[in-house]
């Protein structure tokens, strides 16, 4: 998606933001991120605000509305949503600014215990019943081995994209960017984290061991883990067929390797 600057917004949209924040004294476009047409840090009369926005007719606009709807249910470590407005053809969210840096997932990083604490907090969060978010057994049904998708079902609120750029770290870790909230078994997020640990340089056994910090992963049925690993590998294979960017191809390779690792464990052969 093309990233615009704050001052590229229509006058009406900028005025609607100012009505929420007071005068905007400065605006800085955020680095990185692909899911927003605008992502900017604003210095306003009411303090700093992080604004993300997307045209209301964009295919990803429903995902942003879902992100706004889910925010009140998130653990307190996640950034608070101050306001949500639609005006002048734009859907705009105003968030609390968290002063942190993206997490370091590499082996031995001091961020890893903080990331684990944040995920453990999220593991205790129940998915709201009144918000239409996808269920894990539906989301991965097309990729799972026949008859296994039901193993992914549960009531936990899942993030499903625990990449380092979706975790900010200061004195603790904060999980951000809730574009893909999902309802499912609690162990699904640790399974997804494992691929990101592999991406960061962890060995297969070490990544699996790290995930065992979470009781949900430690006690999940072996057949459920292997089925999800197979589904994840199939999903990443499809992603790379559509876009063979090197990082996506690398993730597909990690997904295949992890599925093979689980399949080779005693009891799965």
């Amino acid at each position: 998606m093309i990233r615009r600057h704050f001052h590229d917004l229509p006058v009406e949209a900028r005025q609607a933001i100012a009505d929420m924040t007071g005068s905007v004294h400065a605006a800085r476009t955020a680095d990185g991120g692909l899911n927003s047409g605008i992502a900017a840090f604003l210095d306003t009369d009411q303090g700093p605000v992080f604004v993300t926005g997307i045209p209301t007719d964009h295919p990803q606009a429903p995902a942003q509305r879902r992100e706004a709807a889910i925010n009140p249910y998130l653990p307190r470590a996640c950034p608070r949503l101050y306001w949500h407005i639609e005006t002048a053809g734009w859907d705009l969210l105003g968030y609390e600014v968290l002063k942190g840096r993206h997490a370091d997932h590499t082996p031995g990083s001091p961020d890893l215990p903080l990331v684990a604490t944040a995920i453990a907090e999220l593991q205790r969060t129940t998915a709201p019943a009144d918000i239409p978010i996808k269920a894990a057994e539906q989301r991965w049904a097309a990729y799972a081995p026949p008859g296994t998708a039901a193993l992914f079902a549960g009531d936990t609120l899942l993030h499903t994209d625990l990449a380092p750029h979706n975790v900010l770290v200061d004195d603790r870790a904060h999980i951000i960017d809730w574009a893909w909230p999902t309802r499912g078994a609690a162990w699904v997020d640790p399974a997804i984290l494992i691929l990101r640990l592999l991406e960061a340089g962890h060995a297969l056994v070490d990544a699996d061991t790290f995930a065992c910090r979470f009781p949900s992963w430690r006690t999940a049925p072996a057949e459920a883990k292997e089925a999800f690993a197979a589904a994840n590998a199939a999903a990443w294979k499809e992603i790379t067929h559509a876009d063979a960017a090197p990082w996506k191809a690398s993730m597909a390779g990690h997904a295949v390797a992890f599925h093979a690792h689980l399949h080779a464990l005693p009891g799965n052969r």
Side-chain angles (χ1 to χ4, degrees):
M1 187 183 306
I2 297 173
R3 175 63 55 81
R4 296 174 174 85
H5 299 291
F6 174 74
H7 294 292
D8 295 331
L9 285 174
V11 172
E12 299 95 320
R14 283 182 277 138
Q15 183 57 55
I17 291 172
D19 290 343
M20 293 290 185
T21 66
S23 297
V24 176
H25 306 295
R28 176 176 64 83
T29 299
D31 297 327
L34 302 174
N35 294 325
S36 298
I38 178 173
F41 295 96
L42 306 184
D43 176 16
T44 79
D45 281 349
Q46 295 184 13
V49 179
F50 179 61
V51 175
T52 66
I54 195 169
T56 54
D57 60 355
H58 193 280
Q60 292 184 21
Q64 175 156 292
R65 297 185 186 105
R66 195 163 52 241
E67 184 174 350
I70 205 77
N71 187 267
Y73 300 90
L74 301 182
R76 182 62 191 92
C78 300
R80 295 297 89 190
L81 178 66
Y82 293 144
W83 41 260
H84 176 204
I85 53 179
E86 291 192 27
T87 185
W90 279 81
D91 187 285
L92 300 162
L93 307 181
Y95 280 102
E96 169 188 15
V97 173
L98 297 176
K99 295 182 179 179
R101 53 176 174 75
H102 294 305
D104 177 2
H105 282 13
T106 58
S109 167
D111 293 351
L112 291 174
L114 303 179
V115 172
T117 297
I119 294 173
E121 182 181 31
L122 179 58
Q123 295 266 283
R124 298 189 293 270
T125 304
T126 301
D130 58 342
I131 296 179
I133 59 177
K134 275 199 172 184
E137 65 271 26
Q138 297 168 339
R139 183 169 164 188
W140 281 281
Y143 308 104
T148 64
L151 296 170
F152 313 155
D155 295 322
T156 300
L157 179 61
L158 307 171
H159 183 275
T160 74
D161 188 10
L162 295 165
H165 61 263
N166 287 333
V167 183
L168 292 180
V169 173
D170 44 36
D171 58 344
R172 64 157 300 160
H174 310 267
I175 300 173
I176 64 171
D177 195 350
W178 283 82
W180 298 102
T182 301
R183 178 184 294 103
W187 55 262
V188 169
D189 263 348
I192 287 170
L193 175 66
I194 284 170
L195 294 193
R196 294 300 181 173
L197 295 177
L198 296 177
E199 180 187 35
H202 292 253
L204 279 164
V205 172
D206 294 339
D208 195 354
T209 299
F210 186 89
C212 284
R213 293 176 179 227
F214 308 107
S216 64
W217 180 254
R218 205 164 53 240
T219 61
E223 63 174 331
K225 293 180 179 181
E226 186 182 351
F228 186 77
N232 221 5
W236 276 106
K237 182 178 180 181
E238 181 178 280
I239 289 169
T240 58
H241 282 169
D243 179 359
W247 76 269
K248 294 181 180 179
S250 177
M251 288 296 293
H254 293 315
V256 170
F258 188 64
H259 177 227
H261 165 75
L262 289 181
H263 182 70
L265 292 176
N268 287 342
R269 288 173 290 186

